[in-house]
Amino acid sequence: MEFGLPEDNNNISLKKFESMLKTNNVLFFDSSEFENIIHHYLEIGKIALAKKAIKLGLDQHPSSINLKLFQTEILVLENKFDDANKVLETLHVLEPTNEEIYIQKANILSKQDDHEKAVNTLLIALDLAANDEGIGDLYALIGMEYLFLDQFENAKIYFKKCLNIDLEDYSALYNIIYCFDFLDENEDAITFLNTYLDKNPYCEVAWHQLGRQYVTIKELDKALAAFEFAIISDDSFVGAYLEKGKVLEKKKQYLEAIDNYKITLALDEPTSFALLRIGYCYDKLEKYDLAVQYYYKTVHEDPLLDKGWIAITKFYNKQKNYQKALFYINKAINIDSENAAYWKLYAQINSRLNFLEEAERGYKKTLDLGNYELQTWLSRADILIALGEYEAAILNLIQASEFHPETAEIEFRLAGLNFTLHEHSKGHYHLKNAVLLNCEFEYIIEELFPKVMQKPTVREIILAAKK
């Protein structure tokens, strides 16, 4: 469907239509006027007004194919697929070669997740619309259906056809790069983008995407050059400055990275991402006062950004200001309570403050969230030992041994715990395992279980292993 009324005529039609709705006087419009009115309301999302225009339009022009196609569009939006199909079947009898009918049928099939049939239907529409000006839109629709089917090679073919029609169809360009990314074809993406840039050398979007591909394959100097060309093509392109800043960070050129991030703050509204990156750069430069200033600016800009609160937590943790670190880790956990790394940091800070119950809770939550690192199990066990929760510590270490079998650090702790609970046969068993695995960890018994170390049988087993 083409909509080509002059702007003034369209405005007159709209005013006339809206005036009619207010007065309840039914005025006459020709079918093309109704089409433009409906198209306008659909474009701005006023569905109720579009529906009124369709109803009045069909009352005045009951045989209009285009108005009935709009009717099917509304029915599809309302998920009334059976009703939409009935209208389309009627239209197909009247105009079997109208590609718009097939496009609407494909839209319904796509909404019903039948993307194979949607593609086949769009290919019929493509045959019927071979010489139409809007054929690029059809190529894009087919490309999208192939994306839904994860047929990325086919999707690329049709998005490339879009670019052949319109070199500045950036939506198609992004979709092609998405296909290359999904297929891990970074080198092919680079070749494609360089060829594209030969035809469109001042395309900042293509330079930006080329830079991203070079970052992926760790060609940082080439990435930097690509982002600089993106900036030459459009010196207000915020995304290029951000990416350039990230590359400069990777190259440890922190002052230059800060300069680029600061340009984004001047070009656009400050973003929490740029503020946070500036904070990180100052941190790396050991300019701690400036670093923490930008961390605070980050959370002021976006109070729900957990990474901002974590940055402040780590800053105070590094400064050994554990009370402040604890305050801010709680802020991060309130935003994302399912992040195992946050709970581990929470546990470590509480442990340094000697808040053992809270530290144990933190480590337990870390494990519950799937962090099964050996050190997490051992840290929790040591806290349970310090709290006198020996049986809970044993249970924790037995679970740990399922993930880390034949580990001396676990076996020495199990030996000490069993001796402490007067389970001497179990104690001997685990101690013999421990010294066979690695006798150097004997200090675990000395530090955590000094009384156990005084037992003659324990000393004999360790001395025998050393010989």
Side-chain angles (χ1 to χ4, degrees):
M1 285 179 276
E2 297 296 325
F3 305 95
L5 277 182
E7 194 62 34
D8 288 346
N9 288 352
N10 203 15
N11 286 337
I12 291 165
S13 299
L14 280 167
K15 285 177 183 174
K16 182 178 159 189
F17 179 76
E18 289 178 3
S19 171
M20 182 188 75
L21 292 179
K22 288 173 186 172
T23 60
N24 287 326
N25 293 327
V26 178
L27 304 174
F28 180 82
F29 298 81
D30 65 36
S31 61
S32 64
E33 282 183 293
F34 271 120
E35 288 169 26
N36 281 279
I37 290 164
I38 296 159
H39 181 71
H40 169 77
Y41 287 134
L42 286 174
E43 283 279 291
I44 64 172
K46 292 190 173 180
I47 307 301
L49 284 171
K51 285 172 75 173
K52 282 183 183 175
I54 291 166
K55 185 180 182 306
L56 289 165
L58 286 171
D59 286 344
Q60 293 184 15
H61 306 280
S63 60
S64 168
I65 301 289
N66 283 348
L67 291 177
K68 285 181 180 175
L69 282 168
F70 273 125
Q71 186 183 29
T72 63
E73 201 171 323
I74 294 292
L75 289 168
V76 171
L77 280 173
E78 295 175 337
N79 293 328
K80 295 176 180 176
F81 303 130
D82 290 340
D83 293 341
N85 273 319
K86 283 173 189 172
V87 176
L88 289 171
E89 290 304 321
T90 306
L91 294 179
H92 185 256
V93 172
L94 297 171
E95 280 196 18
T97 59
N98 187 330
E99 72 268 17
E100 285 291 338
I101 294 168
Y102 288 96
I103 290 168
Q104 288 288 0
K105 279 186 175 181
N107 189 20
I108 293 167
L109 289 164
S110 182
K111 296 259 186 185
Q112 294 175 318
D113 292 327
D114 196 344
H115 301 294
E116 285 278 6
K117 281 188 181 174
V119 168
N120 294 332
T121 307
L122 286 169
L123 290 172
I124 296 168
L126 189 60
D127 286 339
L128 295 169
N131 299 312
D132 284 8
E133 278 185 21
I135 199 166
D137 293 336
L138 255 176
Y139 288 143
L141 288 171
I142 295 168
M144 288 306 299
E145 292 304 317
Y146 278 127
L147 280 187
F148 288 131
L149 289 163
D150 291 344
Q151 294 184 21
F152 298 104
E153 291 297 342
N154 285 330
K156 273 193 286 182
I157 290 166
Y158 281 92
F159 289 127
K160 284 177 181 177
K161 287 177 185 282
C162 295
L163 281 182
N164 289 338
I165 293 169
D166 178 6
L167 203 57
E168 295 187 355
D169 183 348
Y170 295 145
S171 175
L173 182 62
Y174 279 122
N175 282 324
I176 291 167
I177 300 306
Y178 173 79
C179 293
F180 281 123
D181 283 344
F182 198 93
L183 295 165
D184 291 326
E185 295 175 347
N186 305 109
E187 296 287 355
D188 290 343
I190 288 166
T191 303
F192 167 80
L193 285 164
N194 277 315
T195 304
Y196 175 86
L197 283 162
D198 287 340
K199 300 174 198 166
N200 192 7
Y202 294 103
C203 176
E204 71 279 7
V205 172
W207 284 115
H208 178 256
Q209 291 298 311
L210 182 61
R212 285 182 61 253
Q213 296 300 321
Y214 280 129
V215 169
T216 304
I217 63 168
K218 296 182 170 55
E219 291 269 12
L220 298 185
D221 289 331
K222 288 182 179 178
L224 207 53
F227 293 132
E228 282 165 358
F229 277 118
I231 291 164
I232 290 166
S233 303
D234 178 3
D235 63 5
S236 63
F237 188 6
V238 169
Y241 288 108
L242 287 173
E243 294 295 340
K244 186 182 170 188
K246 284 157 69 176
V247 173
L248 288 164
E249 270 195 78
K250 287 178 192 286
K251 288 169 68 67
K252 299 186 179 179
Q253 294 173 228
Y254 299 116
L255 285 173
E256 294 91 331
I258 289 167
D259 289 341
N260 279 271
Y261 291 135
K262 284 186 175 177
I263 290 169
T264 72
L265 303 181
L267 286 172
D268 205 350
E269 292 293 315
T271 63
S272 55
F273 176 84
L275 293 166
L276 185 58
R277 296 315 313 175
I278 293 170
Y280 284 149
C281 288
Y282 279 129
D283 217 333
K284 292 287 185 184
L285 292 165
E286 298 183 0
K287 296 185 177 182
Y288 299 123
D289 289 346
L290 286 167
V292 79
Q293 277 179 40
Y294 276 92
Y295 292 151
Y296 278 118
K297 285 180 182 180
T298 301
V299 295
H300 177 75
E301 185 63 34
D302 185 358
L304 294 178
L305 182 70
D306 49 324
K307 289 190 174 96
W309 297 114
I310 280 293
I312 299 173
T313 301
K314 288 182 175 176
F315 174 82
Y316 284 117
N317 197 32
K318 201 158 53 176
Q319 303 292 320
K320 299 185 179 178
N321 189 337
Y322 301 125
Q323 286 286 1
K324 275 195 173 181
L326 183 59
F327 176 78
Y328 290 111
I329 191 63
N330 277 312
K331 291 256 188 191
I333 286 170
N334 284 337
I335 295 165
D336 183 4
S337 62
E338 300 300 302
N339 190 314
Y342 295 178
W343 281 104
K344 189 169 184 179
L345 191 51
Y346 170 90
Q348 289 168 347
I349 293 164
N350 274 290
S351 183
R352 283 167 186 149
L353 287 165
N354 209 32
F355 299 159
L356 298 185
E357 287 89 351
E358 285 303 307
E360 189 277 324
R361 174 173 165 261
Y363 283 123
K364 184 177 186 304
K365 189 71 178 175
T366 305
L367 294 165
D368 289 343
L369 289 168
N371 178 316
Y372 301 134
E373 294 169 8
L374 176 62
Q375 194 53 53
T376 307
W377 294 103
L378 297 180
S379 296
R380 183 175 179 236
D382 291 350
I383 288 168
L384 287 167
I385 291 164
L387 289 167
E389 300 280 351
Y390 301 132
E391 289 178 358
I394 288 171
L395 184 59
N396 172 79
L397 289 165
I398 289 168
Q399 288 176 306
S401 65
E402 292 173 16
F403 294 94
H404 304 279
E406 297 187 358
T407 303
E409 296 102 304
I410 293 173
E411 292 297 317
F412 272 113
R413 284 171 173 83
L414 283 170
L417 283 161
N418 279 292
F419 278 122
T420 301
L421 291 171
H422 308 294
E423 294 279 355
H424 297 293
S425 60
K426 288 181 182 178
H428 283 111
Y429 169 78
H430 287 293
L431 184 58
K432 285 173 183 175
N433 280 347
V435 295
L436 281 171
L437 290 165
N438 192 338
C439 201
E440 288 179 13
F441 287 103
E442 64 168 286
Y443 67 84
I444 290 170
I445 299 281
E446 287 183 48
E447 289 182 4
L448 295 178
F449 310 99
K451 288 182 180 176
V452 170
M453 196 62 182
Q454 292 170 15
K455 291 181 181 291
T457 54
V458 170
R459 299 214 314 256
E460 278 173 28
I461 291 169
I462 292 171
L463 285 169
K466 284 181 177 179
K467 288 177 184 174

